[in-house]
Amino acid sequence: MKVCIYGAGAIGGWLGVALAQAGHPVSMVARGDTLRALQAEGLRMRRADGSLAQVAVTAHSDPAALGVQDLVVVAVKAPGLPDVARAMAPLIGPDTIVLTAMNGVPWWFLDGFGGAAQGHALESVDAGGVIAQAIPARHVVGSVVHTSCSLEAPGFVKQHFGNRLIVGEPDGSQSARLQALADTLQHGGIDVEVSSCIQKDIWFKLWGNLTMNPISALTGATTDRILDDDLVRGFVSAVMLEAKAIGDQLGLPIDQQPEDRHAVTRKLGAFKTSMLQDVEANKPMEIDALVGAVRELGQITGTPTPHTDALLGLTRLMARTRNLY
């Protein structure tokens, strides 16, 4: 199976190592220092147990040089996806699988799913349908990543904890390609779960990220400090209850209360969210995929979202003043 990783960061590298160790030729689209590191030393990863994995990859800055792939893994930040989607055309043939490994609500979230909301295009994450046009829905397999990884150096991933990946077809079908992909990733050392409703898994992960990410970006606080403040924790819970109500309307019920998720988050300790890391690195923020899409889904389902609206407005304004949105 010819595999291309588009997004040679921490998660793309984690998946690239697994696919290469499962015996498949892996290529990566990269630029600058990352491109040079991959060409010189291959893709490296320090696992959570301290062991080192190093695999050979083909790295190129131009997707057209790599040709049509059997599998393309998209592991980029949401703000960069429209440009990436346009550039991906040379990689996609009639039977290519596009595995999305990204934070937040994806552009295909309501394809083949959503009851009365089914088929709605989400302008907040795909303005004008640019991504949907470049990556037709029939190619997509969704995923939810449950691992913590960072880049130790260009082309060198450090895995901190977690090794789980949930995969699923947008329409919930148990296809042969889905099972084959799951088996391949499992063979490469990742703990893989096949979902019958990947949107439910995406929504449940988002239920925590929706609040912790933007509030940490606004305040500079780690998650433990956010939850230690009674007023802030109350606001977090109010936003989560709005998302829970939207999920009920979409057929994505969450059988927990905000306090249950807070208890899980507290176990992470003084955790620095990915959005806070982006702010500190002066990188674009994933506001729309994590917060804007929730507000839009509230509008589609007729669910009031005053607390989510406030969170979106404040985070967006902060990002604009720093040229991060």
Side-chain angles (χ1 to χ4, degrees):
M1 183 168 64
K2 289 181 66 178
V3 177
C4 179
I5 310 293
Y6 211 127
I11 299 304
W14 173 65
L15 291 167
V17 167
L19 289 159
Q21 293 198 324
H24 302 287
V26 172
S27 59
M28 304 187 82
V29 178
R31 292 176 295 183
D33 291 342
T34 301
L35 176 62
R36 289 186 285 273
L38 292 171
Q39 290 174 335
E41 301 183 73
L43 176 62
R44 295 169 293 161
M45 184 172 76
R46 178 78 61 188
R47 299 188 188 278
D49 63 7
S51 62
L52 179 66
Q54 185 168 10
V55 297
V57 297
T58 300
H60 209 287
S61 60
D62 182 7
L66 301 173
V68 172
Q69 305 288 310
D70 299 305
L71 171 66
V72 178
V73 177
V74 180
V76 299
K77 296 282 189 179
L81 186 55
D83 289 339
V84 167
R86 293 187 190 97
M88 278 177 55
L91 303 173
I92 301 178
D95 300 315
T96 301
I97 299 170
V98 177
L99 178 68
T100 58
M102 303 171 62
N103 281 331
V105 175
W107 79 94
W108 49 263
F109 194 69
L110 296 175
D111 284 327
F113 171 82
Q118 181 170 319
H120 273 271
L122 293 173
E123 280 290 310
S124 54
V125 292
D126 187 16
V130 170
I131 303 170
Q133 184 175 356
I135 308 174
R138 68 180 182 276
H139 292 284
V140 172
V141 169
S143 78
V144 179
V145 174
H146 287 287
T147 187
S148 174
C149 298
S150 62
L151 283 178
E152 198 161 282
F156 192 170
V157 178
K158 183 175 182 180
Q159 183 185 28
H160 301 284
F161 59 84
N163 191 50
R164 182 165 163 250
L165 185 74
I166 307 173
V167 295
E169 294 276 7
D171 65 0
S173 62
Q174 301 297 296
S175 65
R177 72 174 187 175
L178 176 64
Q179 190 58 57
L181 177 60
D183 291 345
T184 294
L185 289 162
Q186 188 84 40
H187 185 59
I190 292 177
D191 301 324
V192 183
E193 176 185 333
V194 175
S195 174
S196 60
C197 184
I198 193 66
Q199 288 88 346
K200 185 173 183 179
D201 300 293
I202 290 170
W203 195 250
F204 187 67
K205 183 180 180 182
L206 178 68
W207 201 47
N209 291 345
L210 161 66
T211 53
M212 290 294 136
N213 271 275
I215 291 173
S216 69
L218 284 168
T219 63
T222 49
T223 54
D224 58 327
R225 296 184 66 186
I226 291 170
L227 291 174
D228 282 345
D229 188 298
D230 292 345
L231 297 179
V232 178
R233 189 175 66 253
F235 178 71
V236 168
S237 295
V239 176
M240 293 176 74
L241 288 173
E242 290 174 359
K244 182 177 168 70
I246 293 168
D248 288 341
Q249 294 297 314
L250 290 171
L252 301 171
I254 294 174
D255 61 356
Q256 292 185 4
Q257 294 302 316
E259 291 75 15
D260 299 316
R261 176 57 72 89
H262 298 339
V264 174
T265 303
R266 282 193 181 279
K267 292 178 181 178
L268 299 175
F271 185 73
K272 187 178 289 190
T273 71
S274 60
M275 192 178 285
L276 176 54
Q277 293 178 55
D278 286 342
V279 170
E280 292 178 342
N282 207 37
K283 293 180 179 179
M285 296 166 61
E286 295 185 294
I287 297 170
D288 291 323
L290 290 173
V291 191
V294 176
R295 179 176 188 267
E296 185 175 359
L297 287 166
Q299 294 172 326
I300 290 170
T301 59
T303 307
T305 57
H307 296 91
T308 305
D309 295 355
L311 181 60
L312 174 61
L314 289 167
T315 309
R316 191 167 58 189
L317 180 59
M318 183 275 278
R320 282 173 171 157
T321 63
R322 300 188 180 197
N323 295 317
L324 302 180
Y325 178 76

